[in-house]
C-alpha cells in the first residue's frame, strides 16, 4: 500500500510539472480514422531539416480541409510539440499540419517566413497523397506564429521568399487565423507602444533597415485579394501591442476583405481564461463555416 502511495505521488508531481513546462511534449489526441505522420521533413536548408507533424484522414470519402498550425515564441523559442489543442478542427473534419521553423539565433529574418512558405508549398505539392483539398487550406498561429501565418497567407503568389522550395506557381490559402500576432515588425522593435528585443534580434543584420522590416511585416501585404482573416487579441496584452491588430483589421476592412476581429477584454498575451478560450474556438469555427470551410 505504501509503494502504491509513493507511485501516485510521483505521478501527481509529474503531471503538475507537465502543466507548468511549456516544452513538455504531450501527445496529440486525434479521432478514429486519422493517422499521425510525425516529423515529416518538408524542407531542407543546408544541414537543417524543417519538420512537421501531420494528422490526416487518408481514407476519408473525399479530400479534407487542413489547418497548418505555427507555434509562437518571439521567433527565438518554442516547439511544435507544445501545440496540442486541435479538437475544434478534428471535430470539423480537418486534417492538421503542425510545423516547426528556424529560430533566432540559428537563423534570422526572413528564415522563418521562408520555412512557413515551404510548409505551405509542401502541403500543396502533396495534397493528393495526403487526401487534402487544396481549396481548403487554413493557416493559423499565435504571437510570432500569428505573424508567420499572416505572412504565409498574405504573400499569395508573391514568391520572393520561396527560393528554398520553388516549383509551385498557384499558392493560396482559404483563410488565415491570427491570434495576437505581430503585424508590424518595425513597430514592435521601435514603436511608441510596446517594444521587444525579439523583433530586433530576429531582424539580425537588418535591425536598422526599416524597408526590410516592412518586407517581413504582414500589414504591408494586405490587398483586395487577401484571404479572409480572423483576428483575436486581448486588449491588455503586455507583449504584442493590441493596436497592431486594430490597425490590421482596419486594413482588411479598407481593402474590402472579409474579416472578423475578436477582442478579449482584459485579455493578456494568450493565456485567456478557459471560458474565453472556448468562446474564441467557437468564433473561429463559425467564421470558417461561414466561408464554406466547415470541413467534411
Amino acid at each position: 500500500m505504501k509503494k502504491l502511495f509513493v507511485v501516485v505521488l510521483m505521478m501527481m508531481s509529474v503531471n503538475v510539472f507537465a502543466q507548468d513546462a511549456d516544452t513538455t511534449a504531450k501527445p496529440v489526441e486525434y479521432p478514429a480514422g486519422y493517422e499521425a505522420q510525425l516529423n515529416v521533413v518538408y524542407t531542407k536548408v543546408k544541414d537543417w531539416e524543417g519538420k512537421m507533424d501531420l494528422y490526416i484522414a487518408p481514407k476519408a470519402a473525399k479530400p479534407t480541409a487542413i489547418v497548418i498550425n505555427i507555434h509562437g515564441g518571439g521567433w527565438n523559442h518554442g516547439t511544435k510539440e507544445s501545440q496540442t489543442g486541435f479538437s475544434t478542427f478534428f471535430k470539423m473534419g480537418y486534417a492538421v499540419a503542425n510545423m516547426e521553423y528556424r529560430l533566432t539565433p540559428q537563423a534570422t529574418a526572413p528564415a522563418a517566413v521562408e520555412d512557413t512558405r515551404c510548409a505551405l508549398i509542401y502541403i500543396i505539392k502533396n495534397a493528393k497523397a495526403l487526401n487534402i483539398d487544396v481549396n481548403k487550406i487554413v493557416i493559423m498561429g499565435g504571437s510570432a506564429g500569428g505573424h508567420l501565418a499572416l505572412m504565409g497567407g498574405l504573400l499569395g503568389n508573391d514568391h520572393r521568399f520561396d527560393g528554398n522550395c520553388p516549383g509551385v506557381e498557384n499558392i493560396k490559402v482559404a483563410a488565415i487565423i491570427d491570434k495576437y500576432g505581430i503585424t508590424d515588425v518595425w513597430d514592435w522593435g521601435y514603436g511608441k507602444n510596446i517594444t521587444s528585443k525579439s523583433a530586433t534580434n530576429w531582424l539580425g543584420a537588418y535591425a536598422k533597415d526599416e524597408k526590410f522590416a516592412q518586407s517581413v511585416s504582414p500589414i504591408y501585404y494586405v490587398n483586395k485579394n487577401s484571404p479572409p482573416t480572423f483576428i483575436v487579441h486581448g486588449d491588455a496584452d503586455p507583449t504584442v501591442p493590441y493596436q497592431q491588430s486594430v490597425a490590421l483589421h482596419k486594413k482588411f476592412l479598407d481593402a474590402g476583405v472579409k474579416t472578423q476581429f475578436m477582442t478579449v477584454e482584459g485579455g493578456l498575451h494568450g493565456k485567456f481564461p478557459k471560458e474565453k478560450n472556448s468562446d474564441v474556438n467557437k468564433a473561429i469555427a463559425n467564421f470558417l463555416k461561414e466561408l464554406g470551410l466547415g470541413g467534411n
Side-chain angles (χ1 to χ4, degrees), residues 270-291:
K271 300 179 181 178
F272 303 144
K274 187 176 180 180
E275 64 275 10
K276 292 292 185 182
N277 270 328
S278 179
D279 291 343
V280 170
N281 288 335
K282 288 176 184 174
I284 290 171
N286 288 336
F287 181 77
L288 294 175
K289 287 173 183 175
E290 288 174 6
L291 295 171

Side-chain angles (χ1 to χ4, degrees), residues 74 76 89 122-123 125 142 158-159 199 255:
N76 58 55
F89 290 93
Y122 178 91
I123 296 297
K125 278 186 173 180
D158 182 334
H159 299 293

Side-chain angles (χ1 to χ4, degrees), residues 2-30:
K2 193 175 287 184
K3 287 183 179 177
L4 179 61
F5 183 67
V6 171
V7 171
V8 170
L9 277 178
M10 288 175 66
M11 289 176 66
M12 287 174 65
S13 64
V14 168
N15 284 339
V16 169
F17 179 79
Q19 289 169 4
D20 291 341
D22 291 336
T23 56
T24 301
K26 301 175 185 178
V28 171
E29 296 181 5
Y30 52 90

Side-chain angles (χ1 to χ4, degrees), residues 5-6 39 61 64 68 108 122 144 150 167 190 193 247 251 282:
F5 183 67
V6 171
N39 294 312
T64 68
I68 300 172
T108 53
Y122 178 91
L150 287 163
Y190 303 103
N193 298 303
K251 274 265 189 177
K282 288 176 184 174

Side-chain angles (χ1 to χ4, degrees), residues 170-186:
N170 188 22
I171 300 173
K172 65 176 181 177
V173 301
I176 302 170
I177 309 297
D178 163 34
K179 300 178 179 179
Y180 39 91
I182 300 100
T183 70
D184 187 330
V185 178
W186 185 261

Side-chain angles (χ1 to χ4, degrees), residues 37 47 54-55 68-69 77 115 123 133 142 166 173 184 187 198 210 219 228 248 252 255-256 260 275 277:
Q37 297 181 8
D47 294 333
L54 294 169
Y55 304 92
I68 300 172
N69 181 70
H77 69 282
D115 298 341
I123 296 297
D133 185 340
V173 301
D184 187 330
D187 177 72
S198 291
E210 186 173 1
I219 199 161
L248 180 67
F252 282 124
Q260 182 176 336
E275 64 275 10
N277 270 328

